[in-house]
Amino acid sequence: MLNEYLKKILAARVYDVAIESPLHTATFLSERLGNQIWFKREDKQPVYSFKIRGAYNKVVQLSEEEKAKGVIAASAGNHAQGLALAAKELGIRAVIVMPRTTPEIKVMSVRARGARVVLHGDSFDEAFKHSQKLVEDKGYTYVHPYDDPDTIAGQGTIGMEILRQLKHSPDAIFVPVGGGGLAAGVAAYVKALAPEVKVIAVESTESACLAAAKEAGSRVILPEVGIFADGVAVAQIGENTWEICKDYIDEVITCTPDEICAAIKDTFDDTRAVLEPAGALSVAGLKKYVEREQCSDQNLVAILSGANVNFDRLRYISEVAEIGEGREVILAVTIPEQPGSFQRFCSLLGRRPITEFNYRYGDDNEAQIYVGVKVDAEPGSRAALVDELREDGYPVLDISDDEIAKYHIRHMVGGHAPAHVSDERVYRFEFPERPGALLNFLKKLGKRFNISLFHYRNHGAAYGRVLVGLQIDDDKREQLHGYLEELGYRYWDETENPAYQLFLR
């Protein structure tokens, strides 16, 4: 099988529209991690993503009859742009079905390249089903974003370039995975010519379909897919890609959204380019690998797969990047309510910069403060700061990993609830972010219960996050939970959450 793919990759038609992307030395990250690290800059392609390679290689090999029907695909955005450009270059009609949650910049880019965009569903899989219906109804030729041998071969040219561009074979290549087209193509070429090189797949924890398949020994469908890293938001690894990945991918590393945000900052520091979440996924995986293996002086390559990110999503990314890297700690600290307390507390922090400080007068004896502090990224820095403050007599709670502390409490510190709001229960909700989503949520929730607390921010993330306080008697709680299940949104009971208890209860 590898020989067949090797032939296809060597014969792939990609350079009519794609460039041989540069291999960029990541100077800052290399020094920090003690390894030689390179970024394969696929964000520099004409559509700011590697997807142009596979899309063009597939379309150029279609028969004249297939081209005449017009082409169609389902895509979260990058394959869509690649296919739109390929179709434009070859004079073919193109229709792209995209999830409604696709970043606007990707939708605009597809339309700018002459393709017709159909927005349908909240995930790739819903968009894919609709695209298949259009194939049946209209007779379009479907061009799969990843699960096709010619598409895989087009992506495999990246592996060919990496081996040619480096003077010595890399120790490992880190590849982001959604449906697996890029990973399969790179693994097929690299393992055919340099089997000693590790090819390591990196997935988002919200869409780790290859990791699930590896564990099960066969392709599985994830019950739920998060879409923060929308470029890899796929519920099932491809059939053709699985046949390669199951044997030739050395391991799979999964990364959280916070870790991905930190990797976006790392790539910006070294390239001055802002990647989309899926585009920086390989860097996040590379960092976890180095930390786990404690390796040094190795040659490591991370494929930067794309840079199609909505500008407003940068608010969310910048907000959590420092936490994801472990360079910011968020603390709930109790200090005496008396003049000079804040000054004394700050003096204990030394030269550590304070990133945030929230406070509201509560009573005459104690003040509860919410404080963000920058720390070194070295392991143990957070714990060391907490220990220092406790040794000086301050009650401290590290809430850096608390979801409602990160996304809600920091914007709400302003006083506790009045005494008569004693029947308040607090819930955290997540729902796919799209126009009208918040209004729809309020219509469903607000008719039955009195809302005593509410916080929502549209900060460019793929999911809307809402913190809601509801006044509900204990004997009606089971009825409430039944209704919340009917709503269909993910939710968590946060009534006992320590950050809520300290700042808002």
Side-chain angles (χ1 to χ4, degrees):
M1 181 174 62
L2 287 189
N3 285 337
E4 288 302 312
Y5 271 104
L6 182 60
K7 292 176 185 176
K8 280 182 169 290
I9 293 168
L10 291 171
R13 292 272 304 276
V14 300
Y15 300 110
D16 295 348
V17 290
I19 65 167
E20 179 173 316
S21 59
L23 201 59
H24 181 105
T25 302
T27 305
F28 296 150
L29 196 60
S30 294
E31 182 178 353
R32 199 171 97 212
L33 299 184
N35 292 271
Q36 287 298 313
I37 296 168
W38 284 270
F39 293 156
K40 182 61 171 165
R41 297 292 303 278
E42 286 299 294
D43 59 298
K44 286 185 168 290
Q45 293 293 350
V47 295
Y48 310 103
S49 161
F50 73 97
K51 287 286 191 176
I52 183 61
R53 296 175 184 260
Y56 188 83
N57 190 51
K58 175 62 180 178
V59 174
V60 77
Q61 297 184 60
L62 293 175
S63 67
E64 292 305 315
E65 181 182 355
E66 290 172 321
K67 292 176 182 177
K69 293 177 180 177
V71 294
I72 188 172
S75 171
N78 288 341
H79 174 65
Q81 293 177 77
L83 182 58
L85 179 57
K88 183 178 181 180
E89 289 291 319
L90 297 168
I92 302 170
R93 289 181 300 126
V95 177
I96 311 295
V97 184
M98 309 179 82
R100 287 191 293 262
T101 51
T102 302
E104 184 180 1
I105 191 170
K106 296 184 181 181
V107 177
M108 292 170 57
S109 295
V110 172
R111 287 176 174 152
R113 290 177 171 86
R116 183 167 73 90
V117 175
V118 177
L119 297 176
H120 184 89
D122 293 324
S123 67
F124 167 79
D125 297 280
E126 292 178 13
F128 175 74
K129 289 177 183 178
H130 187 66
S131 71
Q132 295 305 295
K133 184 177 184 301
L134 292 177
V135 169
E136 292 179 11
D137 294 345
K138 306 292 186 180
Y140 297 122
T141 299
Y142 189 77
V143 179
H144 203 284
Y146 53 84
D147 202 17
D148 180 278
D150 291 325
T151 303
I152 293 170
Q155 324 301 24
T157 57
I158 296 173
M160 178 179 68
E161 292 174 11
I162 291 172
L163 294 188
R164 185 171 65 238
Q165 289 170 318
L166 277 180
K167 292 181 180 179
H168 305 287
S169 293
D171 292 286
I173 300 173
F174 295 82
V175 190
V177 174
L182 176 58
V186 170
Y189 187 88
V190 170
K191 292 300 184 180
L193 296 183
E196 73 281 2
V197 176
K198 290 183 179 180
V199 180
I200 298 175
V202 189
E203 293 187 296
S204 167
T205 52
E206 297 183 334
S207 56
C209 60
L210 177 57
K214 282 267 196 179
E215 183 177 352
S218 61
R219 298 166 66 228
V220 297
I221 300 175
L222 300 178
E224 190 174 74
V225 172
I227 52 176
F228 169 65
D230 56 284
V232 292
V234 179
Q236 184 180 37
I237 198 75
E239 185 175 354
N240 291 294
T241 58
W242 169 244
E243 289 303 312
I244 300 172
C245 291
K246 67 183 177 67
D247 295 323
Y248 299 109
I249 289 293
D250 291 279
E251 68 167 297
V252 183
I253 294 174
T254 59
C255 298
T256 66
D258 285 6
E259 290 167 336
I260 296 170
C261 289
I264 293 173
K265 183 180 184 299
D266 289 320
T267 59
F268 176 81
D269 289 344
D270 262 309
T271 67
R272 298 303 187 268
V274 181
L275 298 182
E276 62 186 280
L281 189 53
S282 60
V283 178
L286 182 153
K287 290 165 61 184
K288 290 187 80 168
Y289 175 83
V290 171
E291 182 179 356
R292 186 193 74 198
E293 297 295 319
Q294 292 296 298
C295 57
S296 60
D297 297 321
Q298 291 198 0
N299 297 314
L300 306 175
V301 178
I303 299 174
L304 308 187
S305 60
N308 292 294
V309 60
N310 261 15
F311 188 77
D312 64 353
R313 183 167 287 188
L314 298 179
R315 286 181 291 173
Y316 170 81
I317 292 169
S318 63
E319 202 168 88
V320 301
E322 295 295 309
I323 297 174
E325 185 58 39
R327 290 187 288 231
E328 182 186 30
V329 57
I330 299 176
L331 303 174
V333 186
T334 304
I335 65 175
E337 182 58 82
Q338 61 189 38
S341 291
F342 179 42
Q343 181 181 348
R344 179 174 178 272
F345 172 76
C346 290
S347 68
L348 291 175
L349 298 178
R351 292 186 174 274
R352 299 183 184 97
I354 294 176
T355 58
E356 187 163 358
F357 187 91
N358 291 319
Y359 158 72
R360 178 75 163 87
Y361 176 85
D363 61 46
D364 293 337
N365 299 314
E366 294 182 335
Q368 196 66 54
I369 63 172
Y370 178 111
V371 60
V373 183
K374 278 197 173 184
V375 294
D376 294 332
E378 297 299 321
S381 294
R382 277 169 52 175
L385 172 59
V386 172
D387 290 342
E388 284 180 33
L389 293 174
R390 285 175 178 164
E391 287 173 7
D392 278 285
Y394 288 99
V396 180
L397 183 64
D398 184 347
I399 53 176
S400 306
D401 300 320
D402 189 300
E403 291 291 306
I404 74 167
K406 285 190 293 185
Y407 300 120
H408 300 287
I409 299 293
R410 71 192 313 162
H411 306 289
M412 299 178 68
V413 176
H416 293 264
H420 64 270
V421 187
S422 58
D423 53 353
E424 182 177 73
R425 303 291 301 182
V426 173
Y427 295 88
R428 173 167 58 92
F429 294 88
E430 287 185 0
F431 52 80
E433 189 65 274
R434 59 177 182 268
L438 178 61
L439 180 59
N440 182 54
F441 174 80
L442 287 171
K443 284 180 178 178
K444 290 183 176 180
L445 186 67
K447 292 180 179 179
R448 300 193 180 190
F449 309 99
N450 184 55
I451 295 176
S452 54
L453 174 152
F454 196 90
H455 182 256
Y456 161 80
R457 288 178 72 227
N458 184 341
H459 45 38
Y463 277 97
R465 290 181 170 90
V466 175
L467 189 68
V468 181
L470 301 172
Q471 289 186 270
I472 183 79
D473 295 332
D474 288 343
D475 58 353
K476 294 183 179 179
R477 199 179 304 168
E478 186 174 338
Q479 177 186 347
L480 168 65
H481 287 176
Y483 179 66
L484 294 181
E485 292 293 336
E486 291 177 17
L487 274 177
Y489 298 128
R490 291 199 298 174
Y491 73 92
W492 297 261
D493 188 335
E494 298 283 8
T495 307
E496 303 304 320
N497 182 288
Y500 161 71
Q501 292 286 338
L502 287 170
F503 292 105
L504 299 175
R505 184 62 175 154

